[in-house]
Every structure is written in C-alpha cells, then in structure tokens.
Amino acid sequence: MKFKLLLLASLFAANLSIVAQSNKDMKEVKYRRSSLHTILVESASFPKKDLVIKAYNNAEFPNKYDNHNIGDKSFDLKKYTTDTDDSKAPEAIAKYLKENQIAKKLVSKWYNRKADGSFDGDLIASRGLFNASYIDGKSGGNLAEGILQAAGKELLNNTFVIVNNMKFVENEPVARVARDLALTQAAKIGMEMLRNKAIDLANKGYDIAKEGYSVWTTSYLFKLKWDEVTEGTFNKEMLAKAAKITPEKKLAFDKSEIFEMEFVGTEKATTLVTFSLNGKRTEEEVINLSVNRNLDKVYAKLQKNYDVFKTKVPLFSGQPITAKIGIKEGLEGGEKFEVLEANENEATGEITYKSVGTIKVDKDQIWDNQYNLINGKPAAMETDPSKPALESTTFNGGKKFETGMLIRQLK
C-alpha cells in the first residue's frame, strides 16, 4: 500500500508522526534514518592535541543519522601499519576494524546483547518506528518477529562507520613561505613604486594568513556488511531472547567471525580559520570551529558522492518548498533533489521509495546552518549582522509536494 509520508495513517512503523510546535509551526517528522558511528585517528602532530580531541569528541553529531556510538572513539593508526603512504590507510583501518571486532559491536548494540548472550529488538523497534501496540497487535508471534526482522535488515544494512584522519597545522609557517616567495618576486620589479606596492601587499597578505589553523581531513567510509548469508546465520545460530538462549548460541556469537565491514570510499576536505574576527575568537574557539566545519564538509562530500550513504530529509514545508538542510550539508545552489513517496508492505514490514518529482535548490535562499561561535547567532551573521537569518533552504520545482515527504540529493 502506498502512502505519503506526512500521513498518520496506520500503526506501521514507517508512518510519520508530525508534531506541531509553537515556534513558527515547526514540525518534527519521524522517518527511518541510517545509523552512524565515528572514529578519530589520533595524531601526535596535532598542535594543542588535547583541545583538538576535545573539539572532536564534542562536535555536533550529523543530525540526519542515528547515533550508533559503540564506545571506540579513537585509535593510533601506526599500530596497524608501518607504511605512511595515505593510499595504504584503508587497509590499516580495515585491520583495526577487524581486530577490534567493530562490526560485531555494531550488531551487538542493534540487538542490545546482554551478558548472558540474549538479545532484544527494542532498538530496532524504536528506530524502525514501531510502537508497543503495533507489536502487541501482531500477537507477539512469528508475524511480529518477521516484521521486526525485516526492519532490522533495512536498518542494519544502513549502518556505517566513518574514520576521520585529521592533520591540524598552524597557518603561520605556510603563510611565511608564501610571503617570502612574494617578496623575492617583488624585489625583481624595476619600478620603485610598483616594487614597494608588491612588498606591501605581500606583508599584508602574511599578516592576514598567518593567524589560526588549517585542518585537512580525510574520511574513510565503511558499511556494515549485512547480506543474506550473514543475516541468515545470525538469525538461525545466534539470535535468541533470554528465555530461549542456550550456551551454544551464546558461544556461537562470541566466537563468530562472520561480521564484517565493507570499505565504501573516501573524501577529503580542508578548512582555514583565522584567530580574529574583530578580535572575538580565542584559540580554543578556532579549533572548535575548524574541526566542526571540516567534518561538515567531508560528510557532505561523502553523502553527495556515494549513493549508499545519501540521507533522506523530510520537507519542512510544501508551499513554499523548504527543508532543514543548508550550507552545512554542502549546498551552494542549483543542486537537484528527488522527492520520494514511501511504499509499505504491511505483511513484511519492508519499505521502498518511489520518486514522484524533482526540485532544485534556490541559490538565493540557502540556510547557513554551519557551526557558529558568537552568542549562538547564525554563522551568516558573523560577517554580516544585517543579513536575514533563514531557518531553512528553499527549493524550486513542483507544486504538489507536502510537509513530511522525503527528499534525496541527485548527482
């Protein structure tokens, strides 16, 4: 049965709950999200390493994903490779993931594995948007378990790990080299007036560029492998509730090596942030800003370039067409999105999505939702206080789209 995602039609999990709020009729739309765990590659080269790690651990989690934190937040890549070539990093990271059983930990969290080896489906039910009355209505038998397993297949198959390798360096040495090269070129200018002007520009450029830090982030995207063989083996040999757990099933999970992570791809991003914006930034604020904005950039690139990692976002309004995404998600104007309508199979719990149209980002109406520092004001107001603060991004396109429908970016 087809249904639009804004309807409160049935008790099935994927149907949306739209909650009106007092602030400008803001609506919260519930929908199944992909799940994500993030890990930092530690580096002795970080200036102010303690502040960098603190900023990373406190960074805003990408709100288009469910936080699937399993506790492993950082590791030293040198322990898993002697090769400093960046091209070898995916192999070293894969070794870390395997040796530390990250895939098994992700599965264990999904099923809330207990000390006795038993599982429950509470997290799957919650993220699958099931409620207790729905499950009870299925008589607690094979049908209910089958629907939970179907939701579990979708959710586990959309579970990701991002490993972030960050190089955090001071701007001054780089700015000094650039200035010295410019001064060398300026000294070759014959006319004194032009030579002095070139020298002045070189020094002014240095004064501006020397402040703050630059951060280079390379992010490696991995996906939990959840194919029919893995799922079937887990369901048959390991999955059991407390009343049905056996020593054999507990041991089967403890000793199992069937859980794996698949390498999807990598992206890079660079951010330059200076100390001073009218003298208002401290060193710690600069580091926080650099880390947050750089992570936003690289996550946006991963979402854009790898279909499996693309997020679905609900429309905030239908007329005008708006959504709660913006510069943080890499929007610049002109990007195309498809509008999706969900298709529900009530018997199996499976959901598929049908494209019902396309919309395009209005370049003049993009929400600046970047991480910001000053008094909680939107980032756009840091440089232009008179600029109106948008609360969502506007799209141009069809006329029949409604609040709650999901959109997904096209290449």
Side-chain angles (χ1 to χ4, degrees), residues 307-367:
D307 288 344
V308 70
F309 193 58
K310 285 184 177 179
T311 59
K312 302 180 187 71
V313 182
L315 288 180
F316 183 62
S317 64
Q319 291 298 325
I321 305 170
T322 65
K324 287 283 191 177
I325 53 175
I327 294 176
K328 177 180 176 180
E329 287 77 24
L331 298 186
E332 297 177 351
E335 293 87 355
K336 291 183 178 180
F337 285 72
E338 59 181 340
V339 183
L340 303 172
E341 184 178 72
N343 294 270
E344 165 201 351
N345 186 322
E346 289 189 339
T348 65
E350 292 184 88
I351 300 175
T352 57
Y353 297 93
K354 176 185 177 183
S355 179
V356 294
T358 60
I359 54 178
K360 183 185 294 186
V361 176
D362 184 338
K363 67 179 182 178
D364 297 321
Q365 296 290 319
I366 301 176
W367 180 30

Side-chain angles (χ1 to χ4, degrees), residues 50-238:
D50 56 335
L51 293 179
V52 174
I53 293 178
K54 178 182 176 182
Y56 179 84
N57 289 335
N58 293 334
E60 184 179 82
F61 189 83
N63 59 7
K64 305 301 183 291
Y65 297 88
D66 281 322
N67 191 341
H68 205 72
N69 180 12
I70 56 173
D72 299 64
K73 294 299 294 180
S74 65
F75 71 100
D76 187 348
L77 191 63
K78 295 192 297 294
K79 294 181 179 180
Y80 300 91
T81 182
T82 57
D83 195 330
T84 57
D85 187 344
D86 285 349
S87 65
K88 301 296 182 181
E91 297 177 16
I93 293 170
K95 183 178 180 182
Y96 158 79
L97 296 174
K98 181 176 181 180
E99 290 186 6
N100 289 272
Q101 299 186 317
I102 298 301
K104 184 182 289 187
K105 290 178 181 178
L106 294 172
V107 175
S108 183
K109 175 160 184 170
W110 267 120
Y111 284 93
N112 194 23
R113 189 170 191 254
K114 310 295 194 304
D116 65 359
S118 63
F119 301 87
D120 66 47
D122 292 352
L123 184 58
I124 289 176
S126 173
R127 291 190 187 170
L129 309 183
F130 292 99
N131 57 40
S133 61
Y134 176 78
I135 296 298
D136 290 344
K138 297 301 180 182
S139 303
N142 292 334
L143 180 57
E145 291 187 6
I147 291 177
L148 276 174
Q149 287 183 7
K153 181 178 181 179
E154 177 188 346
L155 293 167
L156 271 75
N157 199 40
N158 286 282
T159 304
F160 300 91
V161 171
I162 294 180
V163 178
N164 295 298
N165 192 354
M166 304 178 71
K167 296 180 180 179
F168 210 85
V169 298
E170 295 174 332
N171 292 332
E172 195 280 332
V174 178
R176 187 180 347 118
V177 170
R179 179 201 60 186
D180 292 346
L181 288 173
L183 290 176
T184 299
Q185 295 300 316
K188 298 177 182 180
I189 299 175
M191 293 183 63
E192 182 179 2
M193 183 179 69
L194 294 178
R195 182 171 63 251
N196 290 339
K197 185 174 182 179
I199 291 173
D200 184 55
L201 288 174
N203 287 325
K204 286 182 177 178
Y206 168 76
D207 289 338
I208 295 172
K210 70 179 181 179
E211 298 178 337
Y213 295 91
S214 294
V215 57
W216 287 268
T217 298
T218 304
S219 292
Y220 302 88
L221 177 63
F222 289 80
K223 176 181 175 296
L224 177 65
K225 181 179 179 181
W226 198 250
D227 55 18
E228 291 184 1
V229 174
T230 304
E231 180 191 21
T233 303
F234 172 72
N235 288 339
K236 181 179 180 181
E237 299 180 7
M238 308 172 205

